[in-house]
Amino acid sequence: AQSVSQHNHHVILSEAASLELGCNYSYGGTVNLFWYVQYPGQHLQLLLKYFSGDPLVKGIKGFEAEFIKSKFSFNLRKPSVQWSDTAEYFCAVTPANQAGTALIFGKGTTLSVSS
Amino acid sequence: EAGVAQSPRYKIIEKRQSVAFWCNPISGHATLYWYQQILGQGPKLLIQFQNNGVVDDSQLPKDRFSAERLKGVDSTLKIQPAKLEDSAVYLCASSPFMPSLAGELFFGEGSRLTVL
């Protein structure tokens, strides 16, 4: 069965600090990988995704993630966080090339950024 | 483009009572999902519809939960009778049926249920 593990439950950073959130997945085949973000009081929304090709993908608001197939990892990074990045971040996986497939989510990481 | 609509946003009930949540997906999205998100955890899939047919309901507690999508558009999730452990946010999401967009879901704001 597929599963997603996020290593950090709660991360606290000061503005301008660098961010890296860990994500590992368990699945035997080809996958699509996602990071979703939920800002306070808002709905879950897509931050970035990896389907194939360049393993370094860039998303909105300066976020990027790197897919390392050998490590089954898809870590999220941002060089310099802002107060507005305070949110909950979820890593998710789904089998590739299967239309309408549900996402399997990790437990999420709460990021708190102090100004 | 209108997003995924859910109602009610908040509901407080006592255990053993019943509750229903409604979801209207983005127009044209064939796939609809209901997720349960308990505090401190990631969303967990309850049921997935493709048009008006069920694709996956393996994690739906069928003794108390039911869901339908009769006309392949909006959907209702019902809990009867509710238990304390059903306190959670119930998320509805939709997606177009396209392999190139596999896994790209559009979420509603959720319905927060508190069972006392």
Side-chain angles (χ1 to χ4, degrees), chain A residues 65-103:
Chain A
E66 184 175 13
F67 171 50
I68 303 179
K69 189 175 181 180
S70 60
K71 295 184 178 180
F72 296 89
S73 70
F74 189 56
N75 291 354
L76 181 71
R77 300 195 292 247
K78 186 172 184 179
S80 176
V81 296
Q82 300 174 317
W83 177 81
S84 57
D85 294 325
T86 294
E88 193 156 16
Y89 293 81
F90 294 93
C91 182
V93 65
T94 193
N97 298 316
Q98 295 183 24
T101 309
L103 289 171

Side-chain angles (χ1 to χ4, degrees), chain B residues 66-83:
Chain B
S66 64
E68 59 184 14
R69 194 185 184 198
L70 292 177
K71 297 182 180 178
V73 181
D74 56 349
S75 175
T76 302
L77 176 71
K78 296 180 181 177
I79 307 173
Q80 184 180 13
K83 292 186 175 182

Side-chain angles (χ1 to χ4, degrees), chain B residues 4-31:
Chain B
V4 176
Q6 289 189 246
S7 68
R9 289 291 313 279
Y10 305 93
K11 189 75 177 178
I12 300 174
I13 62 173
E14 295 191 349
K15 60 183 179 184
R16 291 188 288 274
Q17 288 186 324
S18 63
V19 63
F21 302 112
W22 173 82
C23 172
N24 191 34
I26 292 173
S27 177
H29 282 192
T31 311

Side-chain angles (χ1 to χ4, degrees), chain A residues 30-77:
Chain A
T30 306
V31 296
N32 294 338
L33 293 157
F34 303 81
W35 278 95
Y36 278 79
V37 61
Q38 188 167 27
Y39 297 103
Q42 297 187 26
H43 61 275
L44 268 168
Q45 56 188 286
L46 182 66
L47 190 60
L48 50 77
K49 61 186 179 184
Y50 171 80
F51 282 9
S52 64
D54 188 344
L56 184 64
V57 293
K58 295 188 185 300
I60 60 172
K61 302 187 180 185
F63 285 91
E64 64 180 30
E66 184 175 13
F67 171 50
I68 303 179
K69 189 175 181 180
S70 60
K71 295 184 178 180
F72 296 89
S73 70
F74 189 56
N75 291 354
L76 181 71
R77 300 195 292 247

Side-chain angles (χ1 to χ4, degrees), chain A residues 3-25:
Chain A
S3 65
V4 177
S5 174
Q6 292 185 239
H7 314 304
N8 314 99
H9 181 62
H10 193 181
V11 174
I12 301 172
L13 295 173
S14 299
E15 276 195 321
S18 64
L19 170 72
E20 180 160 4
L21 301 182
C23 171
N24 286 90
Y25 68 93

Side-chain angles (χ1 to χ4, degrees), chain B:
Chain B
E1 179 182 77
V4 176
Q6 289 189 246
S7 68
R9 289 291 313 279
Y10 305 93
K11 189 75 177 178
I12 300 174
I13 62 173
E14 295 191 349
K15 60 183 179 184
R16 291 188 288 274
Q17 288 186 324
S18 63
V19 63
F21 302 112
W22 173 82
C23 172
N24 191 34
I26 292 173
S27 177
H29 282 192
T31 311
L32 185 148
Y33 312 81
W34 283 101
Y35 281 84
Q36 181 193 55
Q37 185 176 12
I38 293 173
L39 188 64
Q41 299 183 21
K44 183 187 85 170
L45 180 70
L46 291 176
I47 189 167
Q48 178 186 347
F49 292 95
Q50 183 66 30
N51 297 309
N52 60 352
V54 175
V55 174
D56 182 356
D57 65 355
S58 58
Q59 297 188 85
L60 188 72
K62 298 180 187 62
D63 57 333
R64 297 182 300 104
F65 286 65
S66 64
E68 59 184 14
R69 194 185 184 198
L70 292 177
K71 297 182 180 178
V73 181
D74 56 349
S75 175
T76 302
L77 176 71
K78 296 180 181 177
I79 307 173
Q80 184 180 13
K83 292 186 175 182
L84 295 176
E85 59 260 36
D86 298 332
S87 293
V89 177
Y90 292 86
L91 298 168
C92 181
S94 68
S95 68
F97 190 75
M98 295 174 59
S100 61
L101 295 178
E104 192 165 344
L105 274 56
F106 296 81
F107 285 86
E109 293 187 336
S111 294
R112 182 178 297 275
L113 173 66
T114 301
V115 182
L116 303 176

